[in-house]
Amino acid sequence: YPRAAGKGRPEQYMPPEVAAVVAADGGVPASILTRVKLTAISDAAPRRRAGGWPVVLFSTGYGVERQLYTGLVQDLASHGYVVAAIDHPHDAGIVSFPDGHTVSIGTVGDSPNAVADALTVRIADTRYVLDALRRLDRGTRTGAFSGMFDLDHVGMFGHSLGGATAAATMLIDRRLDAGLDMDGLLFGKVGVTGLEKPFMLFSADPGFRRNPNLAQFWGHLKGHRYAVDFAGAAHL
């Protein structure tokens, strides 16, 4: 979120437990990740704005930790958005909670219906986060985030299954006003019904028109629709 002026402690890129798992998966020393410095400040006082800041939710790719998308989230915040990046326990390889305990992916990722089950949980996670933001915004005047959010202007974007989560949640929750899918296939009802609100597709090669799943969804979008193909890009 946009912060008030003043010094503070730089936020760490990722907790040590998360760094160890991500580094092992990538075949690099964990120290490479723990040494990364961010321009974000930990526990910074929020910068106030009349009417609050527009809000954007973010959902990761399946099995991916939210910290790996820090660059995207930090950049959006620098342009005047409050960004809520969602951890999905038992979906991401590892999630570290504020009290220090961690949750690993366990056996959920190996089930035949793992992705479909994960999408159902992600929709519930997203709606929970929307509820939590409203509680924070309506908190007492002494609350750090009281009056900070413009919850009449809420968007959501995500990568891969996170993009599918954005679309699927928009179909059933009116609180989301716009969405963006970064190279994610659509699942469930939304793929054939489309959406009436603004939606955008980011697609890697060979482009959204050559992907039957995305092309069908595109044809059912009834609101403002946008698409960008990134030549030479791959899914990750």
Side-chain angles (χ1 to χ4, degrees):
Y1 51 85
R3 68 182 180 93
K7 296 182 179 181
R9 176 172 57 85
E11 178 62 274
Q12 61 182 353
Y13 178 34
M14 54 182 67
E17 300 84 1
V18 175
V21 171
V22 174
D25 187 55
V28 297
S31 59
I32 290 178
L33 301 177
T34 56
R35 289 200 304 263
V36 173
K37 303 299 181 184
L38 304 183
T39 56
I41 300 300
S42 181
D43 300 320
R47 182 178 178 181
R48 295 292 166 178
R49 178 177 186 266
W53 300 96
V55 176
V56 179
L57 275 58
F58 175 71
S59 182
T60 69
Y62 181 62
V64 184
E65 292 74 24
R66 67 172 172 82
Q67 287 84 4
L68 290 173
Y69 301 91
T70 296
L72 292 174
V73 172
Q74 184 172 269
D75 183 68
L76 271 176
S78 76
H79 288 283
Y81 295 91
V82 169
V83 188
I86 305 173
D87 268 321
H88 298 289
H90 302 290
D91 177 330
I94 183 173
V95 171
S96 178
F97 283 79
D99 65 2
H101 88 276
T102 60
V103 174
S104 299
I105 194 168
T107 59
V108 177
D110 299 326
S111 69
N113 299 316
V115 173
D117 292 342
L119 180 63
T120 299
V121 174
R122 280 167 174 251
I123 294 170
D125 286 347
T126 302
R127 303 186 79 183
Y128 173 82
V129 170
L130 287 167
D131 291 341
L133 290 172
R134 187 166 298 278
R135 289 195 298 271
L136 286 172
D137 191 62
R138 291 178 174 177
T140 64
R141 291 184 178 182
T142 57
F145 297 103
S146 176
M148 269 285 293
F149 311 137
D150 178 1
L151 295 176
D152 290 327
H153 295 92
V154 181
M156 182 172 181
F157 76 115
H159 170 235
S160 194
L161 187 59
T165 303
T169 308
M170 283 180 67
L171 184 64
I172 62 173
D173 199 312
R174 294 177 178 272
R175 290 175 292 181
L176 294 177
D177 301 305
L180 190 156
D181 175 5
M182 301 171 65
D183 207 44
L185 296 180
L186 280 300
F187 294 89
K189 186 178 178 180
V190 70
V192 295
T193 63
L195 295 165
E196 296 183 356
K197 292 184 176 181
F199 202 85
M200 187 173 194
L201 297 175
F202 277 11
S203 297
D205 280 342
F208 82 97
R209 289 183 180 85
R210 296 186 180 182
N211 185 313
N213 176 282
L214 296 180
Q216 175 179 255
F217 176 63
W218 175 260
H220 292 301
L221 290 175
K222 305 174 186 68
H224 292 294
R225 58 182 186 173
Y226 310 88
V228 177
D229 290 343
F230 289 91
H235 185 61
L236 292 174

